[in-house]
């Protein structure tokens, strides 16, 4: 049985008087990609920010490799091996591509300066266009190139887990496919990822495990290949719209997964 690298249990969080997450339980297994899917306003990005330490928990625990981290700030979580690719990518636009990567690697460079060069070359091998434009200001890159830089900036720190928020947002279909190919290559290297994605076709093709979030509660948790269009239609209202493209993307015949009963609060 694959061991969970990251676990969240009973997570409640929100803003002011509003509670967004209502007792979320989540496991991310070592070396796998876990995808979180849901409609707008379901709490997907809030959940990722809670795990990253940007939004505080009101209740519940978060563990990374068995150690509780919910009381740690974002910088401590980064030092423990967590990297975050935020929604909207958030480049340092006036800095060059290579300078952005150096910022992403600041913890690694402080811990093992000699390792940085190797990690930088690994990122450039994954994204050759970044190597070609290493001296170009990040703000002048295309949207797809900025998405690659955001992922590369996370990877260059040699993280134990990467949190990725809506990587395909705003990208042209051809660029989405190129980004997906790169992320699949990263998955093949055994990098553990927790993905939030509105584009279900994209997300399910990348994910090993899928969680469906509805109004701040996990309502389904199971292997991505076991989701079918009826379940997606039931939980998200989109499954039947995907049609044969869902089965083609997953490369498997539809089968039933495990339904998680939402708890009352």
């Amino acid at each position: 049985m694959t061991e969970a690298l990251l676990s969240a249990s009973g997570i409640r969080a929100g803003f002011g008087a509003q509670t967004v997450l209502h007792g979320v339980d989540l496991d991310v297994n070592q070396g796998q990609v876990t995808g979180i899917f849901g409609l707008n306003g379901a709490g997907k990005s809030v959940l990722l920010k809670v795990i990253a330490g940007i939004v505080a928990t009101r209740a519940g625990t978060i563990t990374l490799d068995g150690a509780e981290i919910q009381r740690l700030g974002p910088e401590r979580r980064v030092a423990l091996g967590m990297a975050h690719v935020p929604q909207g990518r958030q480049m340092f636009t006036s800095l060059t591509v290579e300078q952005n990567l150096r910022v992403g690697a600041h913890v690694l460079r402080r811990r093992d300066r000699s390792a940085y060069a190797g990690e930088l070359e690994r990122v450039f091998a994954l994204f050759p266009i970044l190597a070609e434009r290493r001296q170009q200001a990040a703000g002048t890159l295309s949207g797809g190139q900025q998405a690659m830089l955001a992922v590369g900036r996370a990877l260059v720190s040699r993280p134990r887990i990467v949190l990725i928020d809506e990587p395909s947002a705003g990208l042209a279909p051809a660029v989405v496919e190129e980004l997906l190919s790169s992320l699949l290559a990263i998955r093949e290297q055994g990098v553990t990822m927790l993905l939030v994605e509105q584009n279900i076709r994209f997300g399910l093709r990348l994910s090993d495990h899928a969680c469906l979030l509805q109004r701040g509660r996990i309502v389904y948790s199971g292997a991505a290949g076991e989701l079918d269009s009826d379940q997606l239609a039931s939980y998200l209202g989109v499954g039947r719209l995907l049609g044969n493209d869902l089965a083609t993307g997953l490369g498997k015949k539809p089968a039933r997964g495990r339904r998680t009963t939402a708890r009352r609060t």
Side-chain angles (χ1 to χ4, degrees):
M1 182 178 179
T2 306
E3 186 176 347
L5 176 63
L6 178 80
S7 291
S9 178
I11 296 299
R12 292 173 59 85
F15 306 96
Q18 181 184 19
T19 299
V20 178
L21 302 177
H22 304 271
V24 171
D25 297 328
L26 175 73
D27 286 330
V28 181
N29 289 338
Q30 177 80 46
Q32 293 190 355
V33 179
T34 296
I36 302 172
F37 307 99
L39 300 177
N40 286 334
K44 304 183 302 296
S45 292
V46 173
L47 177 56
L48 215 62
K49 289 175 181 176
V50 166
I51 293 171
I54 299 169
V55 173
T57 57
R58 293 178 174 174
T61 60
I62 304 170
T63 62
L64 181 62
D65 202 17
E68 290 193 10
I69 62 171
Q70 71 272 7
R71 294 182 179 86
L72 303 181
E75 69 284 353
R76 293 284 305 280
R77 301 186 199 200
V78 169
L80 290 173
M82 183 179 288
H84 184 206
V85 181
Q87 189 175 20
R89 299 179 269 279
Q90 298 182 20
M91 299 289 94
F92 294 98
T93 56
S94 63
L95 300 183
T96 67
V97 166
E98 187 166 353
Q99 287 170 334
N100 269 273
L101 293 173
R102 283 179 62 84
V103 170
H106 74 282
V107 171
L108 176 63
R109 290 189 294 114
R110 190 168 60 226
R111 184 174 65 239
D112 183 0
R113 184 173 294 272
S114 64
Y116 168 66
E119 294 304 312
L120 182 65
E121 290 309 312
R122 184 166 76 100
V123 169
F124 284 154
L126 281 166
F127 303 111
I129 190 65
L130 297 183
E132 294 175 17
R133 307 199 174 194
R134 63 196 300 167
Q135 299 305 322
Q136 184 172 326
T140 65
L141 298 177
S142 68
Q145 291 162 4
Q146 288 188 1
M148 294 173 189
L149 178 55
V151 174
R153 185 177 60 186
L155 288 175
V156 78
S157 65
R158 196 190 284 171
R160 301 169 72 188
I161 183 168
V162 182
L163 316 180
I164 309 180
D165 196 351
E166 302 274 11
S168 73
L171 301 181
V175 179
V176 168
E177 287 299 312
E178 185 178 359
L179 179 62
L180 176 62
S181 295
S182 298
L183 290 173
L184 286 170
I186 293 166
R187 184 181 74 172
E188 289 301 309
Q189 294 177 2
V191 176
T192 306
M193 291 183 270
L194 178 58
L195 169 76
V196 160
E197 184 54 68
Q198 191 74 21
N199 183 335
I200 295 176
R201 291 186 181 95
F202 175 97
L204 288 179
R205 288 165 66 189
L206 179 60
S207 299
D208 300 293
H209 189 91
C211 296
L212 303 186
L213 192 64
Q214 190 176 69
R215 296 179 181 177
R217 294 175 171 88
I218 298 288
V219 294
Y220 172 94
S221 179
E226 293 178 354
L227 267 174
D228 63 26
S229 58
D230 288 338
Q231 289 169 316
L232 288 171
S234 174
Y235 293 125
L236 305 183
V238 297
R240 294 189 181 94
L241 298 177
L242 298 180
N244 292 331
D245 190 52
L246 175 63
T248 301
L250 294 173
K252 296 183 179 180
K253 293 181 180 179
R256 289 290 176 184
R258 173 173 64 85
R259 180 178 295 188
T260 300
T261 301
R263 296 179 296 185
R264 292 183 181 275
T265 58

